[in-house]
């Protein structure tokens, strides 16, 4: 593997970060973490509740702290929240502490994959397509800025995508 001993998955909601991350961790015998699940575990409440009570900024503050804690570990696969890269500190930490994989996906695939998920507070609106398009304009350049590798998750299974990532990492 490269000199970076962690794999960090970034990308928009619905890109497959958690699913692909679990498979990567299993295949590479690494520990898997999901920053959203870790927030829920530490707060004892779901993401929607944290958003409702503390607002998006309160959630982002928690997210930045948790990602800092997790990225200090060695030998992990971390699926980050889609908006975590908005923090400059988080981008620096991810880039410095691991191999960053940007899982890119289309807005149409995001909508299809998240349409029944009520745990996505940013999508609980009348126009989720517009929200995703606005987020993509802001976030996609940030994902690209720190990615060591970019791969589309629109086609192919999580297993195929994870195996491709493993092949790239092992060839470096």
């Amino acid at each position: 593997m490269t000199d970076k001993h962690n794999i960090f998955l970034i990308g928009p909601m619905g890109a497959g970060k958690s699913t692909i991350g679990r498979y990567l961790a299993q295949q590479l015998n690494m520990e898997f973490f999901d920053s959203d699940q870790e927030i829920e575990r530490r707060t004892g409440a779901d993401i929607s509740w944290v958003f409702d009570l503390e607002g998006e900024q309160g959630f982002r503050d928690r997210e930045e702290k948790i990602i800092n804690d997790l990225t200090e570990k060695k030998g992990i696969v971390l699926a980050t929240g889609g908006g975590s890269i908005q923090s400059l500190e988080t981008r620096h930490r991810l880039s410095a502490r691991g191999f960053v994989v940007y899982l890119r996906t289309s807005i149409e695939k995001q909508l299809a994959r998240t349409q029944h998920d009520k745990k996505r507070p940013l999508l609980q609106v009348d126009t989720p397509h517009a929200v995703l398009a606005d987020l993509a304009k802001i976030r996609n350049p940030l994902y690209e800025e720190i990615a060591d590798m970019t791969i589309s998750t629109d086609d192919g299974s999580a297993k195929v995508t994870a195996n491709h990532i493993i092949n790239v990492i092992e060839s470096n």
Side-chain angles (χ1 to χ4, degrees):
M1 192 168 148
T2 67
D3 60 341
K4 296 181 178 183
H5 301 289
N6 295 314
I7 301 170
F8 303 138
L9 303 177
I10 62 172
M13 62 183 95
K17 297 181 298 289
S18 297
T19 304
I20 292 166
R22 279 188 199 91
Y23 186 80
L24 278 171
Q26 177 185 23
Q27 292 300 111
L28 295 169
N29 198 28
M30 297 170 80
E31 194 170 3
F32 174 74
F33 291 93
D34 178 302
S35 62
D36 285 349
Q37 288 176 355
E38 191 67 13
I39 290 168
E40 290 180 339
R41 188 186 70 74
R42 291 186 189 188
T43 61
D46 66 25
I47 298 296
S48 297
W49 184 86
V50 175
F51 256 77
D52 288 346
L53 194 67
E54 299 179 358
E56 185 174 359
Q57 188 56 52
F59 171 79
R60 296 293 172 209
D61 292 344
R62 285 182 183 273
E63 181 178 58
E64 185 176 297
K65 180 185 182 324
I66 285 170
I67 289 175
N68 180 48
D69 292 349
L70 293 173
T71 58
E72 289 181 330
K73 295 179 176 290
K74 296 283 186 241
I76 70 162
V77 175
L78 172 64
T80 63
S84 63
I85 47 75
Q86 289 177 202
S87 160
L88 179 63
E89 285 298 314
T90 295
R91 289 197 308 277
H92 287 315
R93 289 176 181 133
L94 291 171
S95 186
R97 298 176 181 171
F99 186 82
V100 181
V101 181
Y102 169 22
L103 301 179
R104 186 177 57 221
T105 191
S106 66
I107 292 171
E108 290 69 29
K109 286 288 186 181
Q110 284 182 271
L111 284 170
R113 293 172 181 162
T114 62
Q115 65 183 342
H116 300 296
D117 190 344
K118 300 300 180 205
K119 289 189 171 187
R120 312 247 184 205
L122 294 177
L123 295 184
Q124 304 311 308
V125 296
D126 292 333
T127 57
H129 190 284
V131 169
L132 292 175
D134 289 344
L135 292 174
K137 285 180 200 163
I138 296 165
R139 296 176 179 178
N140 289 358
L142 300 175
Y143 298 137
E144 291 167 6
E145 172 188 312
I146 64 167
D148 293 306
M149 172 186 181
T150 300
I151 186 168
S152 173
T153 64
D154 281 359
D155 303 313
S157 68
K159 184 177 180 179
V160 168
T161 303
N163 285 332
H164 180 71
I165 293 167
I166 292 167
N167 290 337
V168 168
I169 289 171
E170 289 179 347
S171 69
N172 282 339

